[in-house]
Amino acid sequence: MFMADIAGVQVLYTGDYSREEDCHLCAAEIPQFSPDICIIESTYGVQLHQPRNVREKRFTYVIHSTISQGGRVLILAFALGRAQELILILDEY
């Protein structure tokens, strides 16, 4: 996220963020200032997710199960962020 001062107006811009740490990114920090304008991308803005450990366990189980039965797995993921996260989860598994 970054802040710009435009003619005395403080504008905070951020892409999608999380307050939860993951395998490759630390949790987003709360800015120490109050912007006049805040622009936030919100792909998962109001989604409620299962706990991370439950999602990761299900993910690795499905992949392991599919491969052990001779199947193949195609994982569709966002180009940035999510793909790296999934690779790290599989590497740790």
Side-chain angles (χ1 to χ4, degrees), residues 1-88:
M1 72 178 67
F2 66 91
M3 197 278 295
D5 189 302
I6 303 170
V9 177
Q10 290 188 324
V11 179
L12 176 68
Y13 172 82
T14 179
D16 206 4
Y17 67 91
S18 176
R19 295 282 299 139
E20 183 180 326
E21 189 170 321
D22 62 28
C23 293
H24 72 299
L25 294 173
C26 56
E29 296 180 10
I30 297 172
Q32 298 300 313
F33 58 90
S34 295
D36 299 304
I37 298 171
C38 190
I39 303 168
I40 303 172
E41 191 243 313
S42 58
T43 302
Y44 298 110
V46 294
Q47 296 289 327
L48 295 176
H49 298 286
Q50 291 180 321
R52 176 174 298 281
N53 63 332
V54 172
R55 295 188 321 256
E56 288 181 9
K57 190 173 200 174
R58 185 178 68 228
F59 174 70
T60 55
Y61 171 80
V62 168
I63 291 174
H64 180 87
S65 176
T66 302
I67 292 172
S68 67
Q69 295 175 44
R72 295 184 179 173
V73 178
L74 173 64
I75 301 170
L76 305 175
F78 297 114
L80 300 174
R82 190 67 61 216
Q84 290 85 345
E85 175 81 1
L86 296 176
I87 289 168
L88 291 169

